[in-house]
Amino acid sequence: MSTSTLRARPRAMLAVAGLALFLLTCAAPAGAAPAGGLPAYTPDATAPRSAIPDVYKWNLTPLFASDAAWEQGRVKLLADIPALAKYEGRLGDPKVLADCLDHYFRLHGDANCLTLYANMRLTTAQTDDRAGGMRQQGQGALNELMMAASFIRREVLALSADKMALTFRDEPRLAPYRAYLENLRRRASRVLSPDAERALALLGDNLWAEIDLNEIPSPLEDCFNGALNDIPWPMVKDEQGRDVQLTLANYSVFRQSPNRAVREGAVGAFLGTLRQYQHALAASLAGQYKLDVAYARARGYKTALEAYSDKDDVSTAVYDNLLNTVEANLPLLHRYVALRKRALGLPDVHLYDLYIPLAAGVEADIPFPEARQTIIEALKPLGPAYGKVLAEGLDPRNGWLDLYPHMDKESGAYSSSVYGKHPYVKMNYQNSLDDMSTLAHEYGHALHSDLAMKAQSYPDYRYTTFLAEIASTCNEALLNDYLVARAPDDAQKAYLLVGRLEDIRTTIFRQTMFAHFERTVHGFVEQGVPVTATLLDSTYTDLVRRYYGPDYRIDANDGVEWAYIPHFYYKYYVYVYATGLCSGIAIADRVRELGPPAVDAYLAMLKGGCSEAPLTLLKGAGVDLTRPDAIAAAMRTFERTLAEVEKLTAKKK
Ligand SMILES: [Zn+2]
């Protein structure tokens, strides 16, 4: 996800437009409670899309009435783009700058609509060439706009601070663009001469790609992916003793086999095979980190961490604080490993024992109307204003939701938003507890977008990646609390609690361990230490030993696990998963403990979009990630949950 962009519609108008839209698409009053009278439907991933009642499919007509209308929109956009050139070279004039930004953001909104419509069309028709073509064409139109508009950044960065202050003073129409312009200029001192900029861009530098340009994929990430795909993975035994082909896709399935010999065999075969390619994979990763450091130094940063944190307008103190606070709480993770050993009756815990369920799966059949009602109840602590929008969005008649899986639909779930319309949510809902949790998660994203879009102008509504996973995980935490409090028996309670432990283990502990690895290895490059497979292996092994503790047994090839983690190519990105979940948990705690004042502060953050720096917005919601508190709150939740699971598993014996 990229940060920022476009132009706003006045709030009153938006509300009217929303109402008109609502009346068009459904007969029920806004916020109508249970979606009663909906047709019954049993999810079937192999059914054609036409078998699903239309009410359970999203309604794309607010974007475009038809594919033909979309095509007209695309042609019109392409015809309008060249007109931007008339502003080029004239942005020193405040009035021209305001006209230019009005124009640019209007086109950006159109391009956004175009790409989102095409993406959503393809989501539900994966093998439809027409939808695939639309996606490419939509992206092409957006890229064309970005290229045509690149002079804006260049000229805005060239204005002196004094000139910029006068520009704001002289042209009140620039007020809605203040945050956008200030963010654009935030790192003006890091811009190099045009020749140097051109050279860095040719080398794939994406330190600057945050506002107008799409992220440029790193050539070394391509190299890594290619290498992984080239590796001839061996055959392994499945649960029935049959020989089956190990693949990148089925590795994680084997890794959690209830049959220990199967999972041990698969993990051993997988890591043993990676080991044979360790030098090539180490060269690829070292190459990536050398580039990261070179880009950072070219712009005068001391470290890559400093450069990539600054890109997101986040202080490096956040990174250090996360690592230090998690490290101080590692005895909790050791205690969890010890619990796994006891509960599973194992002599010791290996890598291949980490992913198997600790509590037996619970047979749950949660039809959508029930999930919807449960989520609405569970999120009541977030107050009536939140609840009202949530109920609207979860009423399938309002067209936000594409609920059920079908043949040719992309797997997984996501939420997208189109400014001035409403958010959209893709699900593959199949009546499980996990599905209900995913639904609550995606509606966290959707409501974040909805609240921000109603409160902010187009350039300021889109929240940054750094804040992206807070609303989603806060919803999940509140839902989990609600379900635990009402669990009908110990088995279901244990299942839910272990789910929470695993979330924290994989999202906070594991991603922080990755973040630790990333900082250490970038540090080697920065100190001129040659990065070899042996060094990567020992660095990774040391971390695993520290993180998982005395009951964890490290096998010969475990240290090579670094070699297949794509996140190491994401340039200081993984820690955001951990800070997101910590913040989500900390906010859920505050809402529970402090009630309405905490809710108001939280909603203000959601409504803030990207109108201020992410850490400032988050501080407003009561979470200061430069201090240990929020991370410590997540650790306390882990400890509390662990104690409950320890009690439940002891009782079972
Ligand atoms: Zn998410």
Side-chain angles (χ1 to χ4, degrees), residues 396-460:
R397 289 169 297 192
N398 292 334
W400 292 30
L401 184 57
D402 207 85
L403 186 59
Y404 290 116
H406 57 75
M407 226 165 48
D408 223 18
K409 182 171 175 177
E410 182 193 68
S411 63
Y414 69 67
S415 161
S416 293
S417 66
V418 182
Y419 192 78
K421 316 288 181 193
H422 58 65
Y424 286 89
V425 174
K426 179 197 79 171
M427 288 291 301
N428 274 285
Y429 193 82
Q430 297 196 73
N431 297 9
S432 73
L433 259 173
D434 281 353
D435 291 336
M436 178 163 67
S437 211
T438 304
L439 191 63
H441 178 106
E442 294 307 329
Y443 271 82
H445 292 307
L447 262 81
H448 192 172
S449 299
D450 190 76
L451 295 170
M453 143 161 111
K454 285 172 182 158
Q456 300 296 331
S457 60
Y458 187 95
D460 291 348

Side-chain angles (χ1 to χ4, degrees), residues 413 441-442 445 468-469 472-473 476:
H441 178 106
E442 294 307 329
H445 292 307
E469 290 300 341
S472 53
T473 54
E476 277 193 80

